[in-house]
Structures are given as C-alpha cells and as structure tokens.
C-alpha cells in the first residue's frame, strides 16, 4: 500500500481540480521507470483510466493506482509534499530504496 500525507493530499486535490480531474472518481497514477542518476525514477501523473494489471489503493481520501511492476518497488512508500522556499514538490519516502540521489527523484534498490 502507498500512503498519502496530509500535505500531499491537499496539494493533489488542488492540482487535480486545477487540471480538470474529479478527485472523487479520478486518481493519481504512481509508477517507477528506468532512469535518473540512481537508476530508477518515480513517475506521478493524474489519470482517469484504470489498466488491467493496476493495483488500486485509497489513503487519506486520495485514490492511487500503481501498475503491477512498479508496485514491487513502492510497497510501504509514503507520498509527501514539501513546499516553501526550499520545497521540492512531491517527495516519495520509500523504505525499499537503498540509495537516493540528491534531488530525491531517483533511487536504487
């Protein structure tokens, strides 16, 4: 399961609404792809269409969809949002990552 912090929830709802998504029916798609300075990088988008091999979660009133392959890398992850002057935006706190890069957008196992 993927958890969503209160600050991430607020920002997700704000951004989804701004982009014309319905937060009651649409969802956040979280995935992992090859790339980044540590080998794997996170991918976060808004989506309306669920695929056959997707796993669906809901935490803190946010619906999250993860493809089967990415789920293995993301079990136990918490989606956070860091704002302010030095904020990075969305941050993944992934207990499975052995190493992360300085920007926090990529990791390795």
């Amino acid at each position: 399961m993927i958890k969503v912090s209160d600050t991430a929830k607020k920002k997700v709802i704000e951004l989804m609404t701004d982009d014309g998504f319905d937060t009651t029916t649409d969802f956040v798609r979280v995935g992992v792809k090859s790339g980044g300075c540590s080998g794997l990088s996170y991918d976060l988008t808004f989506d309306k269409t669920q695929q056959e091999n997707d796993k669906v979660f809901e935490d803190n009133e946010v619906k999250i969809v993860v493809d089967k392959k990415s789920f293995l890398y993301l079990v136990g992850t918490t989606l956070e949002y860091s704002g302010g002057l030095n904020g990075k935006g969305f941050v993944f706190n992934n207990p499975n990552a052995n190493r992360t890069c300085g920007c926090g957008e990529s990791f390795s196992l």
Side-chain angles (χ1 to χ4, degrees):
M1 176 165 194
I2 296 174
K3 299 213 174 267
V4 179
S5 72
D6 289 337
T7 54
K9 169 192 167 183
K10 290 175 188 170
K11 195 62 175 180
V12 163
I13 290 171
E14 175 188 326
L15 292 173
M16 286 183 82
T17 303
D18 289 351
D19 286 354
F21 287 89
D22 181 349
T23 58
T24 61
T25 57
D26 300 331
F27 47 85
V28 177
R29 179 172 293 282
V30 180
V32 173
K33 59 184 179 180
S34 295
C37 46
S38 291
L40 297 168
S41 62
Y42 299 106
D43 189 32
L44 187 140
T45 59
F46 303 133
D47 203 343
K48 298 176 184 237
T49 308
Q50 186 177 335
Q51 304 299 319
E52 184 178 331
N53 289 323
D54 285 341
K55 293 192 175 283
V56 181
F57 307 98
E58 185 167 342
D59 186 61
N60 208 357
E61 300 175 33
V62 175
K63 289 182 177 82
I64 300 170
V65 173
V66 181
D67 66 86
K68 197 174 184 180
K69 182 183 133 198
S70 295
F71 176 71
L72 299 172
Y73 297 108
L74 296 171
V75 173
T77 296
T78 300
L79 178 63
E80 308 249 0
Y81 184 81
S82 177
L85 294 175
N86 294 321
K88 296 180 181 179
F90 288 103
V91 177
F92 293 87
N93 287 327
N94 186 343
N96 305 305
N98 289 333
R99 187 182 72 193
T100 60
C101 66
C103 64
E105 294 178 10
S106 69
F107 67 101
S108 66
L109 300 177

